[in-house]
Amino acid sequence: KIPSVGSEISKEKGNQFQILHGSYQVNNKIIEMIMSAKSKFLLIGSENDFLQFHHGNVFELIKKSKLNFKILSPDSKKASYFLQGIKKDHYKKISEKDGRNFCFGIKDEDEIVFFMKNEKHSKDEQVAIWSDSDQIISSLDMLFNIVWHNYKTVKEAGKYTKLEKMHHEYKFQLKELEQVNMALTTLNKILSKS
């Protein structure tokens, strides 16, 4: 069941959805998730998404938190600036190609916010969906971990050789296609039940 904006969220665990409009609502939901997290938070986004998080003080909250964070960041000077003060073993820089305009955050494997529109739209047109759907969370958690394991942390540094990089890119693309197929199948099942 997908509630409209401003409607109450049902208390049924595992099938809740909420549409968030504008950067204010999206940032507030991410902050709420971080503050209520018990152990970990995963975050991936583009440079423009990270700019929005920076202005919304999301990164300041992350810096003060004792949670286990994993952040997949674009490999850019701006993104590096936003992440200053965050432990270098808590984030990895990824290529724009591997980021594919993904933007989502996962809290404790029980809540997710994922963006439907991102950098091509103004911050007021930002649309994201919050959910506690186990199928969506596990699919995007798996995707996040595939990307995470294909890169070294900033602390580990070093560059991949061209052959290693090519191998990782092909392996990632194959896993990504499998993941997209799983996510679409799951989303189709959930929406067809509504």
Side-chain angles (χ1 to χ4, degrees):
K1 183 177 179 184
I2 301 176
S4 62
V5 174
S7 67
E8 291 215 8
I9 302 172
S10 73
K11 300 294 179 195
E12 184 183 331
K13 169 72 178 115
N15 289 315
Q16 299 179 81
F17 292 85
Q18 181 183 22
I19 299 172
L20 307 168
H21 292 276
S23 62
Y24 180 77
Q25 278 190 348
V26 174
N27 284 343
N28 280 346
K29 180 55 88 171
I30 291 172
I31 288 169
E32 176 187 313
M33 288 169 62
I34 292 170
M35 291 177 71
S36 66
K38 293 179 180 121
S39 62
K40 73 176 186 176
F41 194 85
L42 311 177
L43 184 65
I44 183 173
S46 69
E47 187 176 280
N48 284 341
D49 298 322
F50 278 37
L51 177 63
Q52 174 186 318
F53 299 152
H54 175 72
H55 289 299
N57 293 318
V58 171
F59 291 126
E60 288 305 312
L61 183 60
I62 289 172
K63 290 173 192 175
K64 295 174 185 174
S65 175
K66 298 201 186 294
L67 291 172
N68 177 20
F69 278 93
K70 288 184 177 177
I71 301 170
L72 291 169
S73 162
D75 190 4
S76 72
K77 287 181 182 181
K78 275 187 186 176
S80 294
Y81 171 77
F82 302 144
L83 297 172
Q84 284 180 349
I86 296 175
K87 292 179 183 175
K88 292 186 177 193
D89 56 344
H90 287 263
Y91 67 93
K92 295 183 178 186
K93 294 180 179 182
I94 62 173
S95 70
E96 188 66 32
K97 180 181 173 188
D98 285 349
R100 309 253 187 207
N101 290 323
F102 291 130
C103 186
F104 58 86
I106 301 174
K107 177 201 103 171
D108 293 331
E109 296 178 8
D110 65 5
E111 290 183 42
I112 188 165
V113 167
F114 59 98
F115 286 49
M116 300 304 293
K117 297 179 182 178
N118 53 13
E119 50 191 80
K120 294 180 181 140
H121 302 279
S122 76
K123 65 181 183 176
D124 296 327
E125 294 174 341
Q126 190 80 52
V127 176
I129 295 178
W130 169 90
S131 180
D132 67 350
S133 166
D134 292 334
Q135 295 89 354
I136 293 173
I137 293 168
S138 64
S139 295
L140 290 175
D141 182 66
M142 188 183 306
L143 175 64
F144 184 95
N145 285 308
I146 289 168
V147 177
W148 181 265
H149 291 293
N150 279 327
Y151 283 90
K152 296 179 181 180
T153 63
V154 173
K155 187 175 183 178
E156 294 166 334
K159 298 282 184 184
Y160 289 113
T161 66
K162 283 186 180 182
L163 185 58
E164 284 178 316
K165 197 171 191 175
M166 226 168 62
H167 173 75
H168 285 292
E169 284 179 12
Y170 288 127
K171 188 174 167 184
F172 174 77
Q173 287 174 351
L174 179 62
K175 292 289 186 186
E176 183 183 49
L177 289 172
E178 291 170 0
Q179 200 60 34
V180 167
N181 186 37
M182 274 180 51
L184 290 174
T185 301
T186 302
L187 192 55
N188 191 24
K189 285 179 186 177
I190 291 170
L191 292 176
S192 67
K193 289 180 184 178
S194 300

